[in-house]
Amino acid sequence: PMIGLVTGRCFAGNAAILGSCDVIIATEGSNIGMGGPAMIEGGGLGVVAPEQVGPVRMQQSIGVVDLLVPDEAAAVRVAKQYLSYFQGALPESAECTCADQRLLRHAVPENRLRAYDMLQ
């Protein structure tokens, strides 16, 4: 997975790269915007302070930011914890058991437009 960590200002190209991440972790007081103050002013929309563009609380409320943490150290800690959930390939000697996955083929109808009982 791609993890994006934001602390401080993240505008334009950096925001575009951030948008391609699977999970976005941001620190309090960060700002994220595709257009920063210079672009806003250049477009004739007035002069704005960087703090007025894409405040992190707003970004979190609309789902752009997945995890909001107090500081950079906490962001790194949370990113490491998230990565720990992906253990990678198990050795061939490890015994793995699970239910028959072929049963899932019949859980959802082949025709995606057909209604079906989701609780069944």
Side-chain angles (χ1 to χ4, degrees):
M2 285 187 54
I3 301 173
L5 288 128
V6 179
T7 185
R9 300 171 184 162
C10 182
F11 298 131
N14 293 328
I17 294 169
L18 184 69
S20 69
C21 293
D22 299 305
V23 172
I24 297 175
I25 303 167
T27 61
E28 289 283 350
S30 295
N31 296 79
I32 304 167
M34 286 305 295
M39 187 180 288
I40 293 169
E41 185 177 354
L45 300 173
V47 178
V48 295
E51 295 76 26
Q52 293 175 294
V53 181
V56 74
R57 287 279 177 192
M58 181 200 63
Q59 300 291 10
Q60 183 188 31
S61 72
I62 61 174
V64 172
V65 172
D66 297 297
L67 297 166
L68 184 60
V69 295
D71 56 31
E72 209 170 325
V76 171
R77 188 172 51 255
V78 168
K80 285 180 178 180
Q81 180 181 358
Y82 178 75
L83 286 172
S84 75
Y85 300 144
F86 302 93
Q87 66 183 16
L90 294 174
E92 288 184 31
S93 61
E95 186 176 326
C96 296
T97 58
C98 65
D100 185 359
Q101 300 298 301
R102 293 174 292 182
L103 297 174
L104 294 173
R105 291 182 184 166
H106 305 291
V108 177
E110 202 171 315
N111 179 355
R112 65 181 180 85
L113 301 177
R114 192 180 123 220
Y116 65 97
D117 184 2
M118 296 186 322
L119 301 176
Q120 186 177 15

